[in-house]
Amino acid sequence: MITGALQVSGGGLPLLLVRRRRASFRPPQAVASDAAATTGREEGGKVALGGSGVAVTKLGVGAWSWGDTTYWNEFQWDDRKLKAAKGAFDASIDCGITFFDTAEVYGAGISGAINSESLLGRFIKERQQKEQVEVAIATKFAALPWRFGRGSVICALKASLDRLGISSVELYQLHWPGIWGNEDYLDGLGDAVEQGLVKAVGVSNYSEKRLRDAYERLKKRGIPLASNQVNYSLIYRNPEDNGVKAACDELGITLIAYSPIAQGALTGKYTPENPPKGPRGRIYTPEFLTKLQPLINRIKEIGGSYGRTSTQVVLNWLVCQGNVVPIPGAKNAEQAREFAGALGWSLTDEEVEELRSMAREVKPVIGFPVEKL
């Protein structure tokens, strides 16, 4: 097992040494007046996660699909898909994308063939055998109804660290609000910081009210709430409508956007004649894709003027919102390289607003129910 914490450097995106060393606890101070000013601060091509002091690449890679057999991968996992996932990891590193998001429930138990955390840990170890690399890992605690007390957070975190083969992570998040025990879970996050098991803590799928409550509870311990990971894309802008995006900007909390390309619907890959298969086909139906086509066509036109793909345009649109780190899921090296091409350029303000206006005409019927709590 590699020891210590994955270090993040503010200097460019070189492949640096992963140093593993447990430091004495010094919680980053959560100062409300400074939070918004420090959020999104860029250093050497990276961006700070809230007021935590942890810096990550402006775009990350989601590992939800790695090992999954219930939503992705056409319900099966084999060596070919394993090699493809490894290719996605290596290509991301090669392109300077070093921020990876996983979770204890991704690919675990009934949801998959192999745990996503275990795969990520394996990929890091194999890469380390070839060269020194720098990686920032985010993972998540599942607020399952049979988990009680702050100690359940530490117990789950240590199990995640074992699967990852490391002794600490950059970011540990509550995956969703629990039916009960949320204050204990937040206390557990604080304990994890103080024990040196994590460098920063965040939440996921939290409403504005829950977000503010979590921020205040951690602030009392001098620990900033670094992030809120929510579903956010050009065609799914609930974080703007429900106050979450504004609250993140106000409090200095980074918004991490999952499903930023609407699970492939915004890439132009799918058409009314060729809708996605599996569970996604129930969301992105031929009828919906028909309504989406004018927007898809305009995205493609704009991309052509920059020599960029539709995928790169919609990811760049999110980056242009400010204080947003998209984490598209990469299943192979080709996708990973394409995602990296969303950085290093920018849409104009006029293009950003034009796409926003056109997207108002279409909105998929999706959403994690707890977003409304």
Side-chain angles (χ1 to χ4, degrees):
M1 179 183 296
I2 305 172
T3 60
L6 281 168
Q7 302 297 308
V8 177
S9 170
L13 296 177
L15 302 179
L16 300 178
L17 171 64
V18 178
R19 292 174 295 165
R20 295 281 179 186
R21 183 174 56 192
R22 179 92 38 101
S24 59
F25 169 64
R26 287 186 181 179
Q29 296 301 304
V31 181
S33 60
D34 296 338
T38 59
T39 300
R41 182 182 62 249
E42 296 183 12
E43 296 181 0
K46 294 189 177 182
V47 63
L49 288 178
S52 68
V54 172
V56 300
T57 46
K58 297 178 185 178
L59 182 145
V61 171
W64 176 15
S65 69
W66 295 0
D68 178 80
T69 56
T70 59
Y71 195 88
W72 302 101
N73 302 308
E74 299 176 343
F75 310 111
Q76 58 182 338
W77 185 255
D78 53 33
D79 287 343
R80 180 178 61 84
K81 291 173 182 175
L82 172 62
K83 291 178 181 177
K86 176 64 162 55
F89 173 82
D90 284 332
S92 297
I93 297 292
D94 292 341
C95 293
I97 303 300
T98 58
F99 180 40
F100 295 87
D101 178 84
T102 183
E104 63 174 327
V105 296
Y106 291 168
I110 62 172
S111 69
I114 184 171
N115 191 282
S116 173
E117 292 176 327
S118 297
L119 288 174
L120 179 56
R122 180 194 306 181
F123 297 162
I124 293 173
K125 182 178 180 180
E126 290 174 354
R127 185 79 181 213
Q128 288 293 335
Q129 292 173 348
K130 298 179 180 179
E131 62 182 322
Q132 299 170 342
V133 296
E134 174 189 90
V135 179
I137 298 176
T139 191
K140 310 181 197 71
F141 167 84
L144 302 170
W146 53 84
R147 284 180 162 171
F148 298 95
R150 63 205 296 170
S152 64
V153 176
I154 300 298
C155 182
L157 172 57
K158 289 182 176 179
S160 288
L161 294 175
D162 284 343
R163 286 187 289 270
L164 287 162
I166 57 180
S167 62
S168 70
V169 291
E170 273 62 43
L171 178 66
Y172 196 50
Q173 307 151 94
L174 302 182
H175 206 154
W176 60 80
I179 299 174
W180 48 65
N182 289 294
E183 291 186 347
D184 285 340
Y185 296 154
L186 290 167
D187 291 342
L189 289 184
D191 294 343
V193 174
E194 293 178 355
Q195 292 180 30
L197 300 174
V198 301
K199 288 187 175 181
V201 291
V203 292
S204 180
N205 297 300
Y206 265 47
S207 66
E208 179 189 359
K209 181 181 184 305
R210 288 187 180 276
L211 184 68
R212 292 183 181 277
D213 289 346
Y215 172 87
E216 291 297 334
R217 190 168 187 87
L218 288 168
K219 180 182 175 183
K220 291 177 181 177
R221 297 176 67 172
I223 298 173
L225 179 62
S227 61
N228 185 18
Q229 184 178 144
V230 295
N231 190 339
Y232 187 30
S233 71
L234 175 59
I235 58 172
Y236 189 80
R237 301 202 305 277
N238 268 24
E240 297 176 7
D241 300 333
N242 61 21
V244 165
K245 177 65 165 67
C248 284
D249 294 346
E250 173 195 339
L251 299 176
I253 299 169
T254 298
L255 191 154
I256 299 175
Y258 70 77
S259 295
I261 56 176
Q263 299 182 6
L266 286 171
T267 66
K269 175 181 179 180
Y270 301 111
T271 65
E273 297 75 31
N274 179 40
K277 298 177 181 179
R280 288 180 295 163
R282 295 194 292 268
I283 300 171
Y284 304 108
T285 63
E287 293 77 15
F288 176 81
L289 291 171
T290 298
K291 296 178 181 178
L292 188 64
Q293 284 310 295
L295 176 61
I296 294 296
N297 293 338
R298 183 56 183 144
I299 290 170
K300 185 176 181 180
E301 290 175 0
I302 292 175
S305 68
Y306 289 94
R308 304 286 175 168
T309 67
S310 296
T311 297
Q312 291 165 345
V313 169
V314 296
L315 289 173
N316 190 271
W317 185 90
L318 278 174
V319 174
C320 287
Q321 305 311 305
N323 192 32
V324 176
V325 175
I327 52 167
K331 293 192 287 185
N332 54 56
E334 181 181 2
Q335 290 180 348
R337 285 190 286 267
E338 183 178 22
F339 296 157
L343 302 179
W345 63 285
S346 180
L347 295 166
T348 66
D349 291 344
E350 292 75 17
E351 289 165 339
V352 168
E353 290 309 311
E354 178 189 0
L355 292 178
R356 180 190 300 277
S357 178
M358 292 187 68
R360 291 193 180 100
E361 304 300 320
V362 288
K363 183 177 180 181
V365 182
I366 56 176
F368 207 59
V370 294
E371 288 180 338
K372 301 178 180 179
L373 297 179

